[in-house]
Amino acid sequence: MVSAEQTRARILDGRVTSDQIKLEVAAEVARWSAERAVKPRLAAVLVGDDDASAVYVRNKVRACAEVGIESDQRRLPASTTTEELLSLIRELNQSEDVDGILIQLPLPGQIDEATIIKAIDPEKDVDAFHPSNVGLLAMGRPRFVPCTPAGIIELLDRNQIGIAGKNACVVGRSQIVGRPVASLLLQRDATVTICHSHTKNLSEICLQGDLIVAALGKPEFVTADMVKEGAVIIDVGITRLPDSSKKSGFALKGDVHFASVSPKCSYITPVPGGVGPMTIAALMKNTFKACMDKN
Ligand code: GUN
């Protein structure tokens, strides 16, 4: 566990902030549901037996219970075909009771992910992965904001960390995090650079960053020599590495080398307990919004 004493940086504690948000959402859901006698409902679909994905889905379902959102967990075998998953999505799209649909990614290799995402009713697409929701976000008129990027912005806002005018360096260009978080930071008036596997002088570009979002999925990639004094560091990575000293047999590593970077920066998110809980809080907000928009 990381403590503030080990570092000069202030820890951006996603657990504390997400607990606060969940309390707020719970109060709103309770008031809203009491007036209408309907409760929001999330369908969470897990395909296959990836341990990490199972943990994420379990945490999402648990958060639903905490805020008064009903949940419906569907588990499908690793051998599921695209057609079989499409058939479940059609059922969930048509169900009057389901407000939000979440298909945990990644999907097993035989399933065509793009076809699956396109099949989700955009109004139930609480992950905001559907092309029409991606387009609305890019235009600055989001229906839903994707959960991890939304959680990152909220973590910054709730810790009074300004975005406008900052040099923001996003490392990674995934559909789930890199691209949408860059778009949101731009909409909040940051000057945004997106770095990726073909970027030349990546270290030099990171060194210009007042804010670095590390979202490339390579453990401890961002090291102290890539970070400017006083920068704000958001670590989205979470990789399981074998570690025989742990009861679980693995350790969770972020994309940032915490020990060397934290003495240099002003704020940093820990892994675990930083961005992950914020993603879940944002999912709760999106699911409640989907329900309110429908009713
Ligand atoms: N896999 C990694 N992050 C996410 C997420 O935010 N939503 C879903 N559905 N799958 C993911």
Side-chain angles (χ1 to χ4, degrees):
M1 211 46 208
V2 172
S3 72
E5 291 80 54
Q6 285 172 266
T7 162
R8 234 163 37 96
R10 299 215 4 224
I11 302 292
L12 292 171
D13 190 327
R15 288 198 179 113
V16 168
T17 309
S18 78
D19 282 348
Q20 177 66 40
I21 296 167
K22 284 187 286 183
L23 283 176
E24 293 165 14
V25 174
E28 286 179 47
V29 168
R31 196 173 334 112
W32 193 91
S33 303
E35 279 169 14
R36 290 164 184 78
V38 260
K39 277 192 160 193
R41 178 180 287 269
L42 174 72
V45 181
L46 175 61
V47 186
D49 14 67
D50 180 70
D51 287 343
S53 289
V55 170
Y56 299 143
V57 171
R58 194 187 317 139
N59 289 342
K60 290 170 183 179
V61 165
R62 189 178 296 152
C64 284
E66 284 171 32
V67 303
I69 293 177
E70 307 272 348
S71 62
D72 182 3
Q73 194 182 331
R74 303 292 188 102
R75 272 199 95 136
L76 297 176
S79 58
T80 301
T81 62
T82 302
E83 201 40 60
E84 285 164 341
L85 185 51
L86 281 176
S87 143
L88 173 59
I89 290 171
R90 281 186 213 109
E91 176 201 323
L92 298 172
N93 282 346
Q94 278 160 21
S95 168
E96 272 297 309
D97 299 336
V98 171
D99 301 296
I101 301 172
L102 175 139
I103 312 291
Q104 186 65 30
L105 303 180
L107 292 167
Q110 76 279 8
I111 298 180
D112 180 352
E113 207 160 275
T115 300
I116 294 301
I117 288 170
K118 226 167 48 186
I120 299 170
D121 177 346
E123 302 204 340
K124 296 189 178 188
D125 173 34
V126 286
D127 267 320
F129 293 164
H130 187 283
S132 72
N133 287 326
V134 174
L136 286 170
L137 180 78
M139 293 166 73
R141 295 174 26 210
R143 177 187 282 125
F144 299 111
V145 179
C147 301
T148 299
I152 291 170
I153 300 292
E154 185 140 18
L155 190 59
L156 294 171
D157 286 347
R158 287 192 181 232
N159 286 278
Q160 286 85 44
I161 297 170
I163 298 173
K166 294 261 168 80
N167 283 335
C169 175
V170 177
V171 189
R173 54 175 162 176
S174 69
Q175 297 286 356
I176 296 184
V177 184
R179 288 168 203 235
V181 82
S183 180
L184 288 178
L185 290 167
L186 178 63
Q187 283 165 35
R188 293 286 298 270
D189 300 320
T191 301
V192 183
T193 308
I194 306 176
C195 297
H196 48 78
S197 51
H198 292 260
T199 300
K200 295 196 175 80
N201 309 324
L202 192 145
S203 294
E204 284 77 1
I205 295 170
C206 285
L207 268 170
Q208 305 289 316
D210 304 308
L211 168 65
I212 297 178
V213 179
L216 70 161
K218 289 200 170 153
E220 301 185 327
F221 180 86
V222 175
T223 46
D225 56 308
M226 298 161 72
V227 172
K228 174 163 89 171
E229 279 285 336
V232 174
I233 308 294
I234 303 293
D235 190 350
V236 182
I238 185 152
T239 304
R240 290 178 166 204
L241 291 182
D243 184 340
S244 54
S245 73
K246 305 268 186 212
K247 215 170 87 190
S248 61
F250 62 84
L252 294 173
K253 293 281 178 205
D255 286 351
V256 176
H257 190 268
F258 189 93
S260 72
V261 170
S262 58
K264 227 180 158 180
C265 61
S266 56
Y267 292 89
I268 188 165
T269 58
V271 176
V275 172
M278 293 302 298
T279 297
I280 295 181
L283 175 67
M284 298 302 104
K285 284 183 145 190
N286 280 352
T287 306
F288 182 36
K289 179 185 186 303
C291 179
M292 288 190 297
D293 289 354
K294 196 180 84 188
N295 290 278

